Amino acid sequence: MKNDLFSIGPITVHGYGLMIAIGIIAAYLVALFRARKRGLNEDVVLDLVFYCAGFGFLGSKILYFLTRLGDFIKNPEMGISLASGWVVIGGIIGGIFGGWLCTRIKKVSFLEYFDLVLPAVALAQAFGRIGCLLAGCCYGEETTSALHIMFTQSQFAPNNVWLVPTQIYSSLLDFALFVVLSVIYSRRKEDEAGLVGGCYLVLYSIGRFILEFYRGDLVRGSIGVLSTSQFLSIFTALAGGIVIVMVKKKRKVA
């Protein structure tokens, strides 16, 4: 895989950045389409994209700093690069906070727009993982399986060895999550606001927890026998489960 796709004069187009941009645009278009069908405010959707993306990137970077705090203190310049140093779970937490803040400012229902946006977020993540594949980051552990990938020009993954294709698995799971959440959203009742968001947190966290066992980039930090992302996935899954239970209880009471 090759991250530097092509150059136009002094500008080089990187696969990772391109896939992130495609993912954000695709997420916006999907969310906008559904907002029109549901009669929701289209301007809020655009604001949500900026808030969620901005706080998502910030949260992802902050969690990366925390997982490598010792290294960062020794070499502060390591955190400046925008080409690396991101933790997706941190991005999810930051993005959700950004979405909550946006809906508070706009005085609209957080849970309603939470459900609207989360399937699109899964779609954006699916494209983002293709970017990871092109860059060679978020790579898997060494394997002897026929289902492998080998990098030859990566600045992140070890080159010329067989690795578990965790980026491909992650992307496929995110595309599948997008489909599942889209179906749930289409069948969700009006008094079930928050159901889709809760399902996203549970399903994504389970998938991420399992895939972490096959990741080979151990610099992301760990808490006990679990990676940082696995540890946080437990809490995001529990949070999602609580949201689902609350939605169901509220519906029964109503």
Side-chain angles (χ1 to χ4, degrees), residues 3 16-17 20 24 52-68 78-92 94 125 128-129 131-132 135 137-139 156 204 208 212 215 217 219-221 228-229 232:
N3 191 37
Y16 184 81
I20 292 292
I24 291 174
C52 290
F55 280 91
F57 285 130
L58 181 62
S60 179
K61 200 70 172 176
I62 288 174
L63 187 54
Y64 173 72
F65 288 159
L66 293 177
T67 59
R68 301 192 63 185
M78 67 175 285
I80 296 175
S81 174
L82 295 178
S84 62
W86 309 96
V87 179
V88 173
I89 290 288
I92 292 172
Q125 289 175 313
R129 286 305 184 187
C132 292
C137 61
C138 306
Y139 56 88
F156 305 104
Y204 177 83
R208 181 61 187 269
E212 281 290 302
R215 289 280 290 267
D217 49 338
V219 296
R220 296 166 296 113
T228 303
S229 293
L232 292 176

Side-chain angles (χ1 to χ4, degrees), residues 231-251:
F231 181 77
L232 292 176
S233 290
I234 294 172
F235 294 97
T236 52
L238 287 173
I242 290 171
V243 170
I244 294 171
V245 170
M246 289 177 63
V247 169
K248 295 298 183 181
K249 273 191 174 182
K250 182 181 176 182
R251 191 157 188 253

